[in-house]
């Protein structure tokens, strides 16, 4: 805040000038309406011989912690949701030549787990912080809140700008595949509401507006409900595609069994080449010339069944 402006308002209030008169003369003199409103708001509107300053926001360690964790959870959620969207788009639109889907990748399962943890945490923290701001509007001027909000706006603007540039680049090159266009749309769906909400919120804080925030509460609740519906639907469909944890465990066990059997088959061939006969049991595949990883089922611990068929000698 400009110190000359603040001192002028202070002197004018103490000389009995009304706020409307002070605002009018300052705007007429060339000051910005927003800057004048902010400076006027720094003094309490009370009947007292001298101008009474409002308490200035200062940084609480607890408040800083809550805001830092909330914004971190927002970033984790946004990037993880993007990873899940990209995975779903690749699943449905990638060429079958390049698609290999023995099961969900570690990146996919990590993204799903991150959404399950980060999204509810973000909603919980924002609910608490919003309630604190409603109880004490001065908290909207928190320095940590302003810095993190502007950082989020910068990141959001950069992502949206890069997204649009990438789309135009593909369009100009004549190669806008359906999967790529959907990924661009997915990025805008995730980033757009986040950027729009924090831009609106910061404007309300700078203009010291409380009434419009109250009027916008139903719209914000609708936005939150839509976000919850989208996230739950995305999680449900993704889990449906990748399978339940039990199904994933069964698939991994089957993959392990298949690898063990291939390994055993290779060592049986080595035994036959060395001895010109088949081994009578799997435990014969021991020694420095053999490299059997396991002859036991990874789940039950029982030895794989092995029989030499007639004519196999």
């Amino acid at each position: 805040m400009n110190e000359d402006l603040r001192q002028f308002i202070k002197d004018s209030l103490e000389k009995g000038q009304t706020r409307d008169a002070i605002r009018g003369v300052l705007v007429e003199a060339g000051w910005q309406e927003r800057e004048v409103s902010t400076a006027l708001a720094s003094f309490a509107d009370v009947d007292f011989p001298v101008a009474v300053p409002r308490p200035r926001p200062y940084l609480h360690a607890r408040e800083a912690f809550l805001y830092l964790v909330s914004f971190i959870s927002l970033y984790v959620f946004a990037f993880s949701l993007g990873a899940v969207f990209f995975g779903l788009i690749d699943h449905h639109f990638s060429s079958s030549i390049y698609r290999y889907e023995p099961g969900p990748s570690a990146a996919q399962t990590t993204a799903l787990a991150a959404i399950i943890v980060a999204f509810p945490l973000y909603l919980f923290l924002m609910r608490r912080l919003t309630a604190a701001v409603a109880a004490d509007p001065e908290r909207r001027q928190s320095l940590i809140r302003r810095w993190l909000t502007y950082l989020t706006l910068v990141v959001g603007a950069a992502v949206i700008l890069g997204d649009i540039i990438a789309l135009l680049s593909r369009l100009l090159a004549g190669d806008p595949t359906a999967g790529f266009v959907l990924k661009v749309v997915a990025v805008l769906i995730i980033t757009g509401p986040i950027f729009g909400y924090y831009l609106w919120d910061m404007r309300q804080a700078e203009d010291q507006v409380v009434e419009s925030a109250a009027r916008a509460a139903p719209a914000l609740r609708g936005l939150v409900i839509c976000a919850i519906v989208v996230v739950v639907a995305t999680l449900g469909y993704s889990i449906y595609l990748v399978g339940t944890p039990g199904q994933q465990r069964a698939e991994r066990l089957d993959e392990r069994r298949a690898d063990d059997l291939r390994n055993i088959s290779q060592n049986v061939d080595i035994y036959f080449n060395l001895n010109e006969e088949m081994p009578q049991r799997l435990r014969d595949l021991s020694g420095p010339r053999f490299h059997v990883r396991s002859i036991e089922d990874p789940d039950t611990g029982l030895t794989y069944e092995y029989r030499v068929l007639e004519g196999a000698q």
Side-chain angles (χ1 to χ4, degrees):
M1 182 187 302
N2 187 289
E3 188 59 33
D4 291 337
L5 175 61
R6 186 176 186 279
Q7 187 62 44
F8 174 82
I9 292 176
K10 180 178 182 296
D11 294 339
S12 299
L13 289 173
E14 291 177 351
K15 291 179 180 179
Q17 298 295 324
T18 65
R19 291 174 175 263
D20 290 339
I22 296 172
R23 179 182 286 105
V25 72
L26 286 172
V27 171
E28 186 179 351
W31 291 91
Q32 295 293 323
E33 175 73 27
R34 177 179 297 179
E35 193 172 11
V36 173
S37 297
T38 301
L40 280 169
S42 66
F43 295 96
D45 190 4
V46 295
D47 186 12
F48 200 71
V50 297
V52 180
R54 292 183 182 274
R56 293 190 180 185
Y58 59 93
L59 185 62
H60 296 268
R62 178 175 176 274
E63 184 180 43
F65 167 76
L66 292 177
Y67 274 116
L68 283 170
V69 175
S70 67
F71 277 90
I72 290 173
S73 61
L74 173 64
Y75 296 148
V76 171
F77 159 69
F79 283 106
S80 299
L81 185 61
V84 171
F85 278 166
F86 281 21
L88 293 176
I89 293 170
D90 288 338
H91 174 80
H92 291 289
F93 291 92
S94 293
S95 172
S96 59
I97 298 176
Y98 301 103
R99 190 187 304 165
Y100 174 65
E101 297 176 318
S105 66
Q108 291 172 324
T109 54
T110 300
L112 288 173
I115 293 174
I116 293 172
V117 174
F119 185 60
L121 177 61
Y122 173 72
L123 292 181
F124 171 74
L125 292 175
M126 288 305 297
R127 182 179 178 85
R128 293 199 59 177
L129 291 169
T130 302
V133 169
D136 182 10
E138 288 297 325
R139 289 177 178 267
R140 301 189 77 178
Q141 304 301 323
S142 167
L143 295 178
I144 187 68
R145 183 176 187 268
R146 293 166 66 89
W147 275 101
L148 290 175
T149 300
Y150 276 119
L151 175 62
T152 301
L153 290 175
V154 170
V155 173
V159 171
I160 293 174
L161 182 62
D163 199 44
I164 295 175
I165 291 174
L167 176 61
L168 291 177
S169 175
R170 282 294 187 95
L171 289 174
L172 293 174
D175 186 28
T177 62
F180 177 80
V181 173
L182 286 175
K183 288 181 178 180
V184 171
V185 173
V187 171
L188 291 177
I189 289 175
I190 296 170
T191 311
I194 295 174
F195 181 84
Y197 166 73
Y198 281 105
L199 180 62
W200 170 85
D201 185 63
M202 186 50 61
R203 284 179 174 174
Q204 303 305 305
E206 289 180 345
D207 293 343
Q208 299 285 338
V209 178
V210 178
E211 292 79 5
S212 63
R215 289 196 300 269
L220 293 178
R221 282 195 294 269
L223 178 63
V224 172
I225 292 173
C226 289
I228 293 174
V229 171
V230 170
V231 171
V232 171
T234 302
L235 286 176
Y237 185 59
S238 299
I239 293 174
Y240 167 76
L241 290 179
V242 304
T244 64
Q247 292 173 329
Q248 292 306 314
R249 181 176 183 275
E251 288 185 9
R252 289 195 299 271
L253 289 173
D254 287 342
E255 292 174 9
R256 171 71 181 278
R257 293 185 183 105
D259 289 340
D260 288 345
L261 294 177
R262 280 192 293 267
N263 176 255
I264 291 172
S265 176
Q266 294 170 357
N267 282 275
V268 168
D269 292 339
I270 295 174
Y271 184 96
F272 183 82
N273 292 332
L274 292 174
N275 301 285
E276 297 184 352
E277 63 176 0
M278 299 291 288
Q280 296 303 308
R281 56 182 184 175
L282 292 180
R283 298 192 182 280
D284 294 338
L285 303 176
S286 60
R289 296 182 178 182
F290 302 101
H291 304 281
V292 180
R293 287 195 295 267
S294 176
I295 61 173
E296 297 178 348
D297 185 275
D299 185 30
T300 64
L302 299 176
T303 303
Y304 290 117
E305 183 179 354
Y306 170 81
R307 290 184 293 112
V308 179
L309 299 178
E310 184 179 352
Q313 297 287 352

